[in-house]
Amino acid sequence: MNIQEIRAQFPILHQEVNGKPLIYFDNAATTQKPLRVIEALQEYYQLHNANIHRGAHALADRSTGFFEDTRKVVQTFIHANEVEECIFTKGVTEGINLIAQTWGRKNLQAGDEVLITHMEHHSNIVPWQMICAEKGAILKVIPVLPNGELDLNKLDDLFSVRTKMVACVWASNALGTINPIEEIIQKAHAVGAVVLIDGAQAGSHIPINVQQLDIDFLVLSGHKLYGPTGVGVLYGKRALLEKMPPYQGGGEMIKEVSFEGTTYNEIPFKYEAGTPNIGDVIAFKYALEYVNQLGKDNIIAWENQLLNTFTKGVIGLNQTYGEDAIQLIGTAKNKVAVQSFLLKNKHPFDTGMMLDALGIAVRTGHHCTQPLMKRYEIEGTVRASFAFYNTLEEVETLLAALEKMLKRR
Amino acid sequence: MTINEIQDQIIDNFMLFEDDMESRLFYLMDLGKKLPEMPADHQSDEFIVKGCQSKVWLYPVYEDGKVFFEANSNTEITKGLISLLVQIWSGKTKEEILASDLYFIEKIGMGGMIGSQRSNGFASMIKKMKFYASI
């Protein structure tokens, strides 16, 4: 991959912050958008804007075509069997809430169990807590080992005949851990449970094949995949989606409405009530195509190099400034390019602000994973998360900034 | 020194760093380190300043018609911020505190230095100190 050529496609990266060249290491929060995505947004509003699926005019026809084109690209991106199994949402949070409120409401009963992991984002905890409370179901948690991997030895004890849903993050936003979802899916299916995979972080890093992995539900966020905000994907197997009740009522999701009763539309439209986020969905296609063009294997190889340079650099700093000068949180063998860390005796807010003064954007805090932070007995971390447009020089600049802080202690 | 004399001195000190944000923050943290230690029993939930992302404790002591402030924070930069206010207001009369105009904030470019979230927290500290001066 030619990183300079790639960077030329991301205009936002070419600016100064606090008089220093911007170094964007907050890619796990949101990724930047390539020029083609930004242009597509403008083109849509300048040339094509119309409501989709029902208009009897040229613009509506064109917009509908573009909108459905994105769905086809999504289908290929995740290797879904059918295009109708790909539903557009606002993002991962909406996708999970949709499943909890439709599949969960229909299928969970008192005493049933929903299994999640200790490293879930709040968006894969709270929707399940809500539906469990409503149904009298029980939320069970797969523990996390000190290095940030799931404690798979506990899996067999946690699964039971009452396990109805396993909702599991593919790659942890706080630790970077890639979970062995294949094994989890197999075990879940063996007890007849359905699996939802939170692909928020995985989407931009890991090749996805929902059929090969036998994933029941997968949720993605467009903005973490180089696309616009406000677009997400919910994949579900047709057999499951068809049996679930609708999520929201309104236009688009109906077949026929009368005051006596209403019949619902087919999937995917059954779950896309109201005018969708047309422009952003259309532009999202170009983000997926950009990632396809670079190739996930190339992306992984480069991001691993960035991550390894950082972790090796930290280990080097610890040799000079003391073994615990910088504590790495999340040292699983199999990781995406996300690294949480803490400087000894330094609050993550202070570290984050010092880095910002140097033009380096990182995330600080609990990363919407408060139970996980509690597990590590910390308030939060500093998190650097890398993307394919980051350079090794940028990683070295971050390491130099951290060294400066260690020197001043 | 009067409130405004102290403010002018703070402005002069920050001006030395011009736009070097890193040095400004290091300076702010150093100021925080100079803050007298706050008695542990005054660092209770009752004296936490609400509206700050970091934890900030503020405890007023009234003596000889003057207000003295004890303060602490769990983050170094925020401790530096509260130390500026302590430097300016501690040992002044209630009337002086309530009548004062904190023009140094704009002069040193505080907003750009600490960002909008911390600026809100900083405003909460000011409000709390003025409240202590009003009772």
Side-chain angles (χ1 to χ4, degrees):
Chain A
M1 290 203 305
N2 183 333
I3 304 304
Q4 287 318 315
E5 240 169 61
I6 290 171
R7 290 179 71 83
Q9 295 301 311
F10 289 83
I12 200 169
L13 298 175
H14 308 281
Q15 63 177 293
E16 291 198 339
V17 168
N18 290 322
K20 304 279 182 346
L22 167 67
I23 296 178
Y24 187 76
F25 284 158
D26 196 16
N27 294 289
T30 196
T31 50
Q32 301 303 344
K33 323 305 172 196
L35 208 48
R36 189 64 195 94
V37 170
I38 300 164
E39 285 168 357
L41 277 172
Q42 186 165 358
E43 275 168 27
Y44 170 70
Y45 290 109
Q46 265 182 1
L47 301 170
H48 315 304
N49 176 45
N51 210 332
I52 54 169
H53 293 141
R54 284 170 301 276
H57 56 84
L59 292 187
D61 203 44
R62 214 188 292 157
S63 290
T64 305
F66 292 148
F67 186 86
E68 292 304 324
D69 279 349
T70 302
R71 207 189 300 273
K72 285 179 211 149
V73 175
V74 167
Q75 182 200 356
T76 320
F77 192 81
I78 64 172
H79 295 91
N81 185 33
E82 298 176 71
V83 73
E84 293 83 4
E85 294 175 320
C86 305
I87 294 155
F88 288 118
T89 61
K90 283 193 292 188
V92 157
T93 301
E94 190 181 46
I96 297 170
N97 276 281
L98 190 156
I99 296 301
Q101 290 301 317
T102 58
W103 183 92
R105 184 159 287 162
K106 180 154 182 188
N107 293 289
L108 289 177
Q109 283 163 11
D112 282 346
E113 292 165 6
V114 172
L115 187 55
I116 61 171
T117 80
H118 208 139
M119 65 175 84
E120 297 308 317
H121 189 283
H122 295 161
S123 64
N124 203 23
I125 301 173
V126 184
W128 299 113
Q129 281 177 329
M130 287 160 66
I131 193 70
C132 282
E134 193 181 313
K135 293 289 181 176
I138 301 151
L139 194 65
K140 287 179 128 183
V141 183
I142 305 172
V144 170
L145 295 166
N147 71 350
E149 290 175 2
L150 288 178
D151 188 353
L152 297 173
N153 293 328
K154 300 274 167 32
L155 269 192
D156 289 332
D157 295 339
L158 286 163
F159 276 111
S160 80
V161 288
R162 297 308 303 262
T163 312
K164 290 284 148 50
M165 164 62 76
V166 180
C168 172
V169 68
W170 195 339
S172 157
N173 71 312
L175 303 171
T177 312
I178 300 174
N179 288 318
I181 59 165
E182 208 167 344
E183 185 182 341
I184 291 167
I185 292 167
Q186 278 168 8
K187 290 209 156 125
H189 286 168
V191 296
V194 162
V195 180
L196 177 142
I197 297 296
D198 170 357
Q201 293 302 325
S204 59
H205 305 284
I206 307 170
I208 304 173
N209 190 322
V210 291
Q211 293 184 80
Q212 208 172 55
L213 289 163
D214 203 14
I215 294 175
D216 298 307
F217 296 113
L218 171 75
V219 284
L220 298 171
S221 278
H223 74 98
K224 292 190 200 286
L225 240 170
Y226 307 96
T229 50
V231 183
V233 172
L234 162 64
Y235 160 83
K237 286 180 181 164
R238 175 182 282 274
L240 292 165
L241 291 175
E242 281 183 341
K243 276 190 217 142
M244 285 156 33
Y247 181 43
Q248 292 177 327
E252 184 81 27
M253 54 78 71
I254 52 91
K255 192 174 272 168
E256 237 180 282
V257 177
S258 74
F259 290 120
E260 288 71 41
T262 292
T263 51
Y264 303 122
N265 206 338
E266 305 290 324
I267 61 166
F269 309 115
K270 179 177 155 188
Y271 296 104
E272 292 180 356
T275 297
N277 187 354
I278 305 167
D280 289 317
V281 166
I282 288 173
F284 180 40
K285 180 182 89 165
Y286 297 97
L288 294 172
E289 286 182 342
Y290 192 81
V291 170
N292 285 337
Q293 191 193 317
L294 293 178
K296 284 251 176 90
D297 290 342
N298 294 328
I299 292 172
I300 293 169
W302 180 243
E303 288 176 346
N304 278 344
Q305 213 175 321
L306 295 166
L307 179 67
N308 290 338
T309 305
F310 180 64
T311 43
K312 274 187 193 144
V314 167
I315 291 163
L317 288 175
N318 284 350
Q319 278 162 2
T320 312
Y321 297 94
E323 266 323 298
D324 54 352
I326 301 177
Q327 183 195 354
L328 293 174
I329 295 137
T331 50
K333 279 194 267 322
N334 203 6
K335 283 184 61 166
V336 294
V338 167
Q339 187 61 59
S340 268
F341 61 93
L342 282 172
L343 268 64
K344 195 183 178 187
N345 298 328
K346 200 136 200 103
H347 196 282
F349 287 173
D350 288 326
T351 310
M353 226 170 140
M354 286 308 303
L355 293 176
D356 183 52
L358 296 165
I360 304 172
V362 293
R363 181 71 171 260
T364 60
H366 53 60
H367 316 295
C368 297
T369 56
Q370 284 180 348
L372 183 66
M373 296 297 112
K374 214 168 174 183
R375 147 87 189 68
Y376 283 100
E377 295 173 347
I378 51 179
E379 238 184 279
T381 72
V382 185
R383 180 188 71 187
S385 50
F386 309 107
F388 53 66
Y389 43 62
N390 289 128
T391 66
L392 294 172
E393 292 74 31
E394 289 180 320
V395 176
E396 296 295 345
T397 306
L398 169 61
L399 288 165
L402 294 176
E403 179 163 25
K404 210 166 169 186
M405 276 184 250
L406 292 176
K407 273 185 184 159
R408 272 193 62 114
R409 280 182 311 174
Chain B
M1 283 205 288
T2 68
I3 285 176
N4 286 359
E5 279 165 358
I6 300 169
Q7 289 199 78
D8 291 339
Q9 199 177 61
I10 289 172
I11 293 165
D12 287 346
N13 289 342
F14 272 94
M15 285 306 120
L16 290 174
F17 302 111
E18 296 176 351
D19 288 336
D20 182 351
M21 222 41 100
E22 190 191 14
S23 304
R24 283 166 161 248
L25 291 179
F26 275 134
Y27 177 62
L28 202 52
M29 289 196 276
D30 287 342
L31 288 179
K33 283 176 195 149
K34 287 181 198 150
L35 204 58
E37 205 170 313
M38 186 177 188
D41 58 326
H42 293 170
Q43 294 179 48
S44 61
D45 287 352
E46 194 186 341
F47 297 104
I48 281 186
V49 181
K50 289 195 182 90
C52 298
Q53 254 196 333
S54 314
K55 277 186 184 150
V56 179
W57 294 269
L58 198 57
Y59 185 88
V61 180
Y62 302 97
E63 241 176 61
D64 304 331
K66 288 173 182 162
V67 192
F68 296 84
F69 293 103
E70 298 168 357
N72 197 9
S73 171
N74 66 337
T75 74
E76 291 169 77
I77 291 169
T78 308
K79 197 169 170 183
L81 290 174
I82 191 78
S83 82
L84 290 175
L85 298 174
V86 170
Q87 201 187 328
I88 292 167
W89 276 340
S90 202
K92 300 291 182 295
T93 66
K94 289 180 174 183
E95 293 71 25
E96 284 170 330
I97 293 169
L98 291 173
S100 59
D101 165 32
L102 296 182
Y103 55 84
F104 83 99
I105 298 170
E106 210 188 310
K107 279 269 167 69
I108 67 169
M110 182 74 91
M113 193 162 80
I114 63 172
S116 57
Q117 275 193 334
R118 269 200 162 87
S119 290
N120 290 340
F122 191 55
S124 302
M125 298 175 211
I126 293 169
K127 212 170 136 190
K128 192 78 189 179
M129 290 171 96
K130 285 211 166 182
F131 167 75
Y132 284 135
S134 71
I135 56 172

